[in-house]
Amino acid sequence: MAELPDRAEVVIVGGGIVGCSIAYHLAKRGVTDVLLLEQGQLTGGTTWHAAGLVSQLKSSHSLTSIATYSTRLFEQLEAETGQATGYRVTGSISVADNPERWEEILRGLSMAKTVGVEAYEISPAEALDHWPTLNMDDVVGAVYIPRDAQTSPVDTTLALAKGAKNRGVRIVEGVAVTSLHIENDRIGGVFTEQGYIEADTVVLAAGVWTRHLAQTGGINVPLQACEHFYIVTQPIDGVKNGAPTVRDPGNYTYFKEEAGKIMAGFFEPRGKVWRMDQIPRDFSFGTLPEDWDHVGPIFERAIHRMPALGEAGLQLFFNGPEAFTPDGVYYLGETPEVDGVFVAAGFNSVGIQSAGGVGWVLADWIIDGEAPMDLSAVDIRRAFPYQADERFLKDRISESLGLLYAMHWPFRQYESARGIMKSPFHDRLDAAGAVWGETAGWERPNWYARPGQQRVYEYSYGKQNWFDNCAAECRAVRETVGLFDQTSFAKFTVDGPDALDVLNQLSANDIDVPVGKVVYTQWLNTGGGIEADLTVVRIGDESFKVVTAAAGRTREWARLRRQCVGRDVEIAQLAEPMLGLMGPNARALLSSISTADFSNGAFPFGTAQHVVVGGVGVHAMRLSYVGAIGWELYVSEADAIALYDTIVAAGVDHGLVHAGYHAMNSLRLESGYRHWGHDISDEDTPLEAGLGFAVAWDKPGGFIGKAALLKQKGQPLRKRLIQLKLEDPDTLLYHDEPIYRDGELVGRTSSGMWSYTLGSALAMGYVTNPEGITKDWVDSGSFEIEVAGRRIPAIAGLGSWYKPQLHG
């Protein structure tokens, strides 16, 4: 029986490659009072049976940065530690068997340039030089990434563990953590099979066991084990030693060479969930039964691409559990519920290739108190309570596994586990033709179908089947009036003697305003990066309402909660239906059903009032995220339908049109309004994002991040958000497309959308220049945006393409 310490600065739960990487990187940063506890033996959970693929190119810029760090680390790990890792650079090939898949791959190839990943197109003949056993007859195109690699998962983990132990980390096997001990929303320590260990920080890197362990501390980590299948053949003639990994997403299969054999792994369209209940503590190095009924159809498709599989003998049929998440992306970061608990789990079969970078960013996060880069895509604070429901997990995660190799269509909607949350207007909007999307569990109208039109998405990278519908919605907002259901927006109340001080410390703008004033502001980190983008309205001397995006609810709530610790303040989450009425006829419509004065003088932009509309009490805020005169109307649940019916009836005389979130995205982008998570993030400052107007430099007491902004103020901005308009009437932009100025790569797009007002694809994007980004620099350059390998001319500017009409 191992002798355990009474306390440790950091306790890591889980001895797979991720846990060992975190320990290694903490020690490299000088934090050595680290105890790693593994209930069985190192690698005994998922790591030992991983395929060992180390690929660099991922779906986003930040995920690619994490993966590319892993490749650099693994390349030198054996030399540093003396422990063999089995790392070898083999390269990888991805093939497309239809034009749509080929465009997806080519768009990824363009994105690779923004992160320095070498990748290029190869011919079918070149692919056959690497893999003579491939069938390339139906292949439209292929891409080669020469620096992708393979490694031994077990040996690489042991090397990381050795590197950690050499620096003083203690690793103990055969001891399980049974529960977490929480004191006043902060971690106190962990209970183990051998007693209690006090800890300042606990890291949950326990793979498929993480969800249930987290629940012992009231923490939500919605992941679920699924069965993952692969086969290994007997040796096959023609399979070259060191051949690159082949990914054939159209047939849901990857192929890896192993000593002259073929490993074929499968990501079938619907995954097979394994055990919703607690996974046994002793399921170490465990396997699951064969299931040819489930995997057989995919195996047949694999034979099509690799005909030799049909003749080869099978040495191994493997089935083992891996942890998957509802959106197919892993979890990192400090939990929103409990301070001092960090998560690194739910790796969706990319744990090996992510582990090196995950160890780096999480160690920095633990030590510095903030993420070292934009990690919003993987941040645990994107999880929501409803995702803990086992019925949801079983349904959604089966789909999310299948999406790993599915087409990653723009605007693709989940098909499973729907209808979690609906606004009180749902049935009315459904009758009006709403085509539903889901955000943060909310059913929201993305666009409205015409009578008789099918309410389905026909996906493509071009103009989809709702293009004309969205055009009509945007036209109404610009010319008459549009109605948006914005109930999904998150709302918090902040009340008490310290409420103003708390919000003013969090907010870059000044919240000390008259009652009824609405303030647009950002919440920053100490480096000046934007953690949240929201509005705050003062509703009383010591009372405020915070409104933010639906997807930001957990993240913003956690930040607010932590800022309120020890303060005389009460916070609450508010369930409040809300309609947005936007467009030049909004004032006339409201005036026709209310005795309130909605004129500029009586109801200025950026203010809020309690008014009666159609006999219903409403808290109205004069705001706009679409660049049009308008009001957000907050109403009680009991009065919501009455308000809606009155507005719609009166709207007949004012050209009222129901509008969805695709229209909102188009309208906000052409108006120059930023979207958090795309155009602004925690590594972008307000000055770089063109939001300096929302910074109250001289307010008493300052604000979090002020010191960092002061260093940047008055200096040339070497990075800046600009606006771009594509000079091509047929190509659409989305995000992460490379931006060129005078033929030189200078940045990448952050978001893109078609503008119906301007008749062109628009984008925002950050560009860099060592000497600073100025208006002259932008105006004097010739810009292009690369889309699927083609450079398309673009016009660039610092201002929005459409001037918002807010005061008409």
Side-chain angles (χ1 to χ4, degrees):
M1 182 178 292
E3 183 177 342
L4 298 179
D6 294 330
R7 77 171 314 278
E9 183 177 348
V10 181
V11 171
I12 300 172
V13 185
I17 192 169
V18 170
C20 289
S21 179
I22 296 165
Y24 169 88
H25 284 89
L26 284 169
K28 283 193 74 172
R29 284 287 308 269
V31 177
T32 57
D33 183 13
V34 176
L35 174 66
L36 187 151
L37 295 174
E38 164 55 45
Q39 64 185 3
Q41 297 178 7
L42 295 183
T43 77
T46 298
T47 298
W48 73 276
H49 63 73
L53 307 182
V54 185
S55 63
Q56 303 167 82
L57 192 58
K58 303 300 171 193
S59 60
S60 70
H61 191 272
S62 58
L63 294 181
T64 301
S65 297
I66 289 173
T68 52
Y69 175 91
S70 294
T71 64
R72 295 193 299 271
L73 172 66
F74 294 165
E75 282 176 346
Q76 56 82 37
L77 193 58
E78 182 173 337
E80 176 195 333
T81 64
Q83 164 69 47
T85 62
Y87 185 83
R88 55 180 182 151
V89 177
T90 60
S92 72
I93 297 171
S94 294
V95 299
D97 60 4
N98 61 69
E100 293 78 15
R101 178 72 70 175
W102 183 228
E103 176 158 4
E104 177 187 41
I105 290 176
L106 286 177
R107 283 178 176 260
L109 193 65
S110 292
M111 191 266 282
K113 298 175 183 178
T114 71
V115 287
V117 173
E118 181 186 2
Y120 52 86
E121 183 180 350
I122 61 173
S123 68
E126 290 172 303
L128 287 170
D129 284 342
H130 292 288
W131 273 93
T133 54
L134 278 173
N135 171 24
M136 299 291 286
D137 290 348
D138 61 343
V139 169
V140 174
V143 162
Y144 181 54
I145 304 178
R147 297 302 299 173
D148 278 0
Q150 299 173 13
T151 198
S152 164
V154 171
D155 291 337
T156 305
T157 303
L158 295 179
L160 289 165
K162 184 175 181 181
K165 288 190 287 187
N166 288 345
R167 292 178 170 88
V169 170
R170 185 170 183 189
I171 296 178
V172 178
E173 298 175 286
V175 176
V177 173
T178 56
S179 63
L180 307 177
H181 175 57
I182 313 300
E183 300 174 350
N184 298 319
D185 296 327
R186 178 158 193 90
I187 190 67
V190 298
F191 292 98
T192 78
E193 296 168 326
Q194 296 183 23
Y196 180 71
I197 302 172
E198 184 182 345
D200 299 323
T201 301
V202 171
V203 181
L204 305 181
V208 294
W209 287 270
T210 301
R211 174 163 65 93
H212 290 96
L213 178 58
Q215 286 172 348
T216 67
I219 295 168
N220 178 35
V221 185
L223 56 78
Q224 174 57 40
C226 287
E227 300 183 26
H228 180 53
F229 304 87
Y230 60 77
I231 58 98
V232 180
T233 70
Q234 299 287 351
I236 296 175
D237 290 340
V239 175
K240 295 183 177 181
N241 185 46
T245 301
V246 174
R247 293 181 178 84
D248 180 20
N251 289 304
Y252 316 110
T253 306
Y254 62 85
F255 303 95
K256 172 190 171 188
E257 180 274 331
E258 284 196 352
K261 310 166 190 174
I262 297 177
M263 170 194 279
F266 312 112
F267 290 107
E268 61 275 22
R270 291 290 295 189
K272 186 180 179 184
V273 170
W274 179 68
R275 293 197 70 130
M276 301 302 300
D277 60 346
Q278 178 80 49
I279 296 171
R281 172 243 188 276
D282 59 355
F283 187 82
S284 185
F285 297 102
T287 62
L288 303 175
E290 295 184 5
D291 189 345
W292 277 106
D293 288 339
H294 180 75
V295 83
I298 309 304
F299 182 66
E300 292 296 323
R301 298 187 67 144
I303 291 174
H304 167 74
R305 183 64 58 222
M306 194 75 73
L309 290 179
E311 305 297 329
L314 293 188
Q315 185 180 86
L316 173 67
F317 182 110
F318 184 85
N319 180 12
E322 296 192 23
F324 290 82
T325 64
D327 60 3
V329 184
Y330 51 86
Y331 295 126
L332 287 186
E334 190 172 18
T335 65
E337 301 93 345
V338 179
D339 301 343
V341 176
F342 287 77
V343 171
F347 280 90
N348 303 276
S349 288
V350 298
I352 305 302
Q353 57 202 263
S354 304
V358 164
W360 153 51
V361 297
L362 201 68
D364 283 1
W365 201 336
I366 291 168
I367 295 167
D368 300 331
E370 292 175 344
M373 57 184 285
D374 174 22
L375 295 173
S376 55
V378 294
D379 197 320
I380 183 62
R381 291 175 293 176
R382 76 184 191 278
F384 293 91
Y386 73 88
Q387 294 173 321
D389 184 274
E390 291 189 353
R391 294 168 298 176
F392 171 86
L393 288 172
K394 186 174 183 179
D395 197 11
R396 175 59 59 82
I397 287 184
S398 177
E399 180 184 3
S400 72
L401 183 153
L403 294 180
L404 292 178
Y405 273 14
M407 282 291 299
H408 298 91
W409 292 117
F411 310 107
R412 189 196 182 280
Q413 304 300 313
Y414 285 105
E415 299 171 359
S416 63
R418 294 292 297 269
I420 304 297
M421 290 181 284
K422 300 177 180 178
S423 84
F425 311 113
H426 183 275
D427 290 347
R428 293 288 201 275
L429 301 181
D430 196 61
V435 181
W436 300 98
E438 182 235 311
T439 297
W442 284 94
E443 292 294 316
R444 310 199 308 182
N446 281 344
W447 56 281
Y448 286 85
R450 298 181 296 272
Q453 182 181 9
Q454 280 195 309
R455 300 190 197 186
V456 296
Y457 276 84
E458 296 174 7
Y459 295 118
S460 75
Y461 277 96
K463 298 170 182 176
Q464 297 185 10
N465 63 310
W466 46 266
F467 184 85
D468 291 339
N469 303 70
C470 191
E473 296 167 26
C474 290
R475 190 179 309 114
V477 174
R478 291 286 178 250
E479 298 176 2
T480 56
V481 60
L483 183 66
F484 296 90
D485 177 9
Q486 296 175 240
T487 301
S488 60
F489 282 37
K491 305 118 189 159
F492 314 136
T493 55
V494 186
D495 299 289
D498 291 340
L500 173 61
D501 187 52
V502 164
L503 288 171
N504 247 349
Q505 278 294 301
L506 279 172
S507 304
N509 214 339
D510 193 355
I511 310 303
D512 192 4
V513 294
V515 173
K517 178 66 177 173
V518 183
V519 180
Y520 171 61
T521 188
Q522 288 76 45
W523 291 355
L524 311 180
N525 54 40
T526 58
I530 300 171
E531 294 282 347
D533 181 67
L534 42 76
T535 55
V536 181
V537 58
R538 192 167 198 168
I539 55 179
D541 291 341
E542 297 180 348
S543 298
F544 301 83
K545 181 193 290 185
V546 177
V547 182
T548 189
R553 179 183 297 271
T554 304
R555 182 186 180 97
E556 271 81 284
W557 178 256
R559 195 163 190 84
L560 177 62
R561 178 187 66 78
R562 288 182 171 124
Q563 190 67 19
C564 291
V565 173
R567 309 303 299 274
D568 189 0
V569 62
E570 293 184 1
I571 58 176
Q573 299 195 39
L574 187 64
E576 194 174 29
M578 189 254 278
L579 292 173
L581 198 61
M582 304 289 160
N585 290 356
R587 176 183 289 116
L589 195 164
L590 286 171
S591 297
S592 72
I593 52 177
S594 174
T595 58
D597 187 347
F598 293 95
S599 67
N600 284 323
F603 205 142
F605 182 80
T607 63
Q609 296 180 27
H610 288 280
V611 296
V612 175
V613 178
V616 169
V618 169
H619 188 208
M621 296 187 196
R622 188 168 172 194
L623 295 172
S624 177
Y625 190 52
V626 294
I629 182 174
W631 281 263
E632 294 179 352
L633 307 175
Y634 298 79
V635 62
S636 70
E637 187 94 16
D639 291 331
I641 292 299
L643 175 66
Y644 171 88
D645 287 345
T646 300
I647 289 173
V648 171
V652 172
D653 295 329
H654 299 277
L656 179 72
V657 170
H658 287 79
Y661 280 82
H662 291 335
M664 181 180 288
N665 193 26
S666 174
L667 295 162
R668 71 91 190 166
L669 199 145
E670 67 188 21
S671 303
Y673 296 153
R674 283 69 168 146
H675 181 264
W676 195 92
H678 287 95
D679 312 307
I680 46 180
S681 73
D682 52 11
E683 60 181 21
D684 309 313
T685 72
L687 299 180
E688 294 166 341
L691 298 173
F693 66 89
V695 177
W697 298 98
D698 299 325
K699 69 174 177 178
F703 54 89
I704 296 169
K706 179 179 179 179
L709 291 191
L710 285 173
K711 292 179 181 179
Q712 196 176 51
K713 186 181 182 184
Q715 301 297 316
L717 287 172
R718 297 179 176 85
K719 165 186 159 187
R720 192 164 179 179
L721 188 70
I722 65 170
Q723 316 285 322
L724 298 133
K725 182 169 66 171
L726 210 58
E727 294 185 0
D728 181 334
D730 298 316
T731 300
L732 272 64
L733 300 173
Y734 298 105
H735 57 81
D736 287 327
E737 293 100 353
I739 302 170
Y740 292 86
R741 179 185 181 272
D742 296 339
E744 178 185 354
L745 180 64
V746 293
R748 57 188 170 90
T749 63
S750 53
S751 68
M753 193 72 180
W754 183 266
S755 167
Y756 299 90
T757 306
L758 300 167
S760 178
L762 305 183
M764 295 187 189
Y766 284 94
V767 293
T768 58
N769 178 37
E771 298 176 0
I773 308 295
T774 63
K775 186 178 186 302
D776 287 343
W777 183 86
V778 174
D779 291 345
S780 64
S782 176
F783 285 83
E784 297 170 304
I785 299 175
E786 182 175 324
V787 181
R790 296 185 304 121
R791 293 191 190 180
I792 302 172
I795 303 171
L798 294 178
S800 65
W801 298 109
Y802 174 82
K803 184 178 180 180
Q805 307 296 309
L806 305 177
H807 305 286

